[in-house]
Amino acid sequence: MNLALHYPVLQVIIPMLMAPLALLVQHRKLAWLLASVTSLCAFALAIAIAQLVLQGSSYAYPLGGWQAPFGIELRVDSFSAIVLIIVSGASTAALLAGYQSLAQDIEEDRASLFYAAWLLALAGLLGIVVAADAFNIFVFMEIASLASYILVAGSSDRRALPAVFKYLIMGTIGATFYLIGIGLLYIMTGTLNLSDLEVRILAVEDQTPILMAAGFISVGLALKAAIFPLHAWLPNTYSFAPHAVTAFLAACSTKVALYVFLRIDFFVFQRTLSDHAAQFSIYLLPLAVAGILYGSAMAIREPLAKRLFAWSSVAQIGYIVLGVSLVSQAGLSAGILHMFNHALAKGAIFIGIIVLASQCQQLTPTALNGLGRKHPLIGIAFVVAGLSLVGIPGTAGFVSKWLLIDAILEHHRWSIALLMVVLASSLMAVVYLAKVCETLFFKTPETTVVQPLPKLAIALLLLVSFANLIFGVAPGLPLELANNAASLLLEHTL
Amino acid sequence: MILLDLFHYWVFIAILMMGFYTVIAKQNLIKKLLGLSLFQSAVFLLFIGIAKVDGGTTPILHPSISTEIFSNPLPQVLILTAIVVGISTSALGLAIVVRIKEAYGSIEEDQIQSKDESA
């Protein structure tokens, strides 16, 4: 038996089976340990899958031996591999760093429930990525969403509750829109398997239902991915969620929705809808630009550090969308690489927030005053992550921004205007980062009670910040995966 | 006549829009959730409606069933799953509403907002 063939399914069922197990372990530390080890396993599997897909292009896994299109199929390729790494890596880092912080937020008797929900969210997100069936994607999406509503509602801040309610309403509307789109596709083609759909959709003569389906699916997934102007749920959800949950979700949940969006759009609709590339960029490009500018502007105005970085996520999603909306090899690979790099930078920043929050009672605008001066190492690691967010040379963020600018220059018509947007928003990012730095380094600390530093969280912060520097100098694996993924998406034009 | 032929699509759209309107327009969180349920149910109807084949019978292979035409069983199976998802969403939503009521003493959206702003 060749175990490597089973990696795609193991990726999903290990966290899924461990979730009820975590529920049975009525002990905070054991449940956390179980969740962390499971998440680490998923990360190792994701790396192994990435190695495998770099050798071959993609491989499918028929569940239970039933061949597609009748059976359910899982499929992994370079694009899924990079997203798998993002999801499992973010989950692992957030879990390891979040133990103490979560212990403050979650009561002892609910801890195992919380970690079970975390594992379900992880299983759902990984499931979305490996599923090759439109309906399975919906089911996994709902598993992931329902579990992450629970995670966000775990916060001890009561403002998390209205935020999560809004998230639930908008997330469900998004998923239902997606389901309507799938329904229309099923009516026209009679299949749900993505690769089967790709072939059968060519035989459909009437384009109107297909166009409707594309619209419903795009809007639904854009809601989940928080693409401007459908980002309304994001800032409050991220700022009031428990810090570790923010680190997890901010790094990966919107990217997974973007992944599904790109995958379905490019695999299914690209060949059948006439003038697909032009339409794709006409709708997405302005939204991306507006998202970048609006998100950055709101981040500058925001006094609360955690909410500030939530707004910056809206802008960064804009960068990813800007890259892919150029519909070129360079643009797509820049966008996909930016998913990875943004996850690294945002992950590090929110892990930094975990560490800093441990030093103050509540994250008020003045609570972080002078904390960087008090703990220089933490401060510097935090700033490195921030610089990666801005895209300073030598950090991971620079590589994808450079590729993005490269792709924009290739795309001749609006290149100057788009370049100005990227430049302006980078300057805005410098401004809001400077604001946080000023709080951290140049303000006198409030007289706070000295609390023990969470060592594991600091170690993770240093590790992820260091990874930002490493991937800034040698972006090897993610860059290769992103390039492969981009050509894979474009190959489906033919 | 073509309008009547597409009867079940019209029902789908009408219910969908009623649900959607309730979600957007109502301030009461429970009403919002009811609207959301309605919104999802409309999609269930869409799927179940398309499964019916003219003159088709229950899709069971049995000697007593002689016709060759069967209704499509797949959409119903899909919707079984989607119904479960819908129930879980409603249950979770209601649980959150209970906690909002505990924390804020209200389930009206504007009152909750004003309480947060004054705090």
Side-chain angles (χ1 to χ4, degrees), chain A residues 138-150:
Chain A
F138 166 75
V139 174
F140 278 125
M141 199 149 72
E142 284 305 81
I143 292 176
S145 309
L146 287 169
S148 46
Y149 306 147
I150 298 173

Side-chain angles (χ1 to χ4, degrees), chain A residues 335-355:
Chain A
I336 294 166
L337 186 65
H338 198 65
M339 284 188 189
F340 181 83
N341 290 341
H342 173 239
L344 266 186
K346 257 307 147 47
I349 279 176
F350 281 118
I351 290 172
I353 297 270
I354 294 178
V355 176

Side-chain angles (χ1 to χ4, degrees), chain A residues 146-456:
Chain A
L146 287 169
S148 46
Y149 306 147
I150 298 173
L151 295 183
V152 176
S155 168
S156 50
D157 189 334
R158 72 169 186 178
R159 285 171 297 176
L161 296 170
V164 80
F165 190 81
K166 195 173 188 181
Y167 184 20
L168 181 136
I169 296 277
M170 296 189 82
T172 307
I173 291 176
T176 310
F177 264 47
Y178 174 75
L179 191 60
I180 297 172
I182 296 298
L184 291 173
L185 285 184
Y186 184 75
I187 292 172
M188 297 316 286
T189 60
T191 182
L192 290 166
N193 182 292
L194 286 184
S195 26
D196 200 27
L197 205 56
E198 191 186 334
V199 182
R200 288 221 210 166
I201 206 166
L202 295 177
V204 178
E205 278 170 18
D206 190 359
Q207 280 218 344
T208 321
I210 306 289
L211 205 60
M212 287 290 288
F216 272 115
I217 290 175
S218 307
V219 173
L221 292 172
L223 242 170
K224 289 250 169 204
I227 294 174
F228 181 88
L230 301 172
H231 63 275
W233 57 269
L234 187 144
N236 274 352
T237 306
Y238 281 10
S239 32
F240 301 130
H243 306 311
V245 174
T246 310
F248 176 33
L249 294 184
C252 65
S253 75
T254 50
K255 274 128 213 144
V256 170
L258 273 174
Y259 163 84
V260 179
F261 179 42
L262 291 183
R263 198 175 179 87
I264 293 195
D265 200 87
F266 277 87
F267 279 29
V268 177
F269 298 127
Q270 190 167 214
R271 264 195 288 177
T272 171
L273 290 183
S274 53
D275 218 9
H276 169 271
Q279 295 219 20
F280 189 74
S281 52
I282 281 175
Y283 288 115
L284 277 181
L285 200 67
L287 295 184
V289 169
I292 290 172
L293 295 176
Y294 182 73
S296 308
M298 289 305 279
I300 290 177
R301 287 184 47 192
E302 183 57 49
L304 269 178
K306 203 176 166 195
R307 217 174 133 89
L308 183 153
F309 287 114
W311 276 115
S312 123
S313 273
V314 175
Q316 299 284 331
I317 291 162
Y319 281 122
I320 301 172
V321 178
L322 178 61
V324 299
S325 69
L326 298 175
V327 201
S328 63
Q329 166 79 28
L332 278 166
S333 58
I336 294 166
L337 186 65
H338 198 65
M339 284 188 189
F340 181 83
N341 290 341
H342 173 239
L344 266 186
K346 257 307 147 47
I349 279 176
F350 281 118
I351 290 172
I353 297 270
I354 294 178
V355 176
L356 294 172
S358 73
Q359 297 304 300
C360 49
Q361 300 290 339
Q362 258 193 324
L363 272 182
T364 51
T366 52
L368 300 179
N369 280 0
L371 278 179
R373 222 169 0 165
K374 215 155 122 195
H375 310 286
L377 194 61
I378 300 172
I380 289 169
F382 194 78
V383 170
V384 167
L387 291 178
S388 177
L389 200 63
V390 176
I392 299 291
T395 59
F398 173 72
V399 182
S400 43
K401 255 193 195 164
W402 182 254
L403 286 175
L404 184 63
I405 289 174
D406 218 32
I408 286 173
L409 288 178
E410 203 178 280
H411 180 266
H412 41 89
R413 223 166 88 214
W414 297 97
S415 56
I416 302 296
L418 290 177
L419 211 59
M420 296 300 282
V421 168
V422 173
L423 212 64
S425 71
S426 296
L427 287 176
M428 285 156 108
V430 171
V431 173
Y432 62 70
L433 186 66
K435 220 171 83 172
V436 178
C437 286
E438 189 200 350
T439 332
L440 283 178
F441 291 102
F442 299 108
K443 292 224 173 120
T444 42
E446 288 189 329
T447 47
T448 42
V449 225
V450 182
Q451 274 152 328
L453 285 165
K455 292 200 183 60
L456 201 53

Side-chain angles (χ1 to χ4, degrees), chain A residues 69-82:
Chain A
F70 302 107
I72 291 168
E73 191 187 35
L74 306 179
R75 184 177 282 278
V76 286
D77 51 36
S78 300
F79 193 17
S80 22
I82 192 167

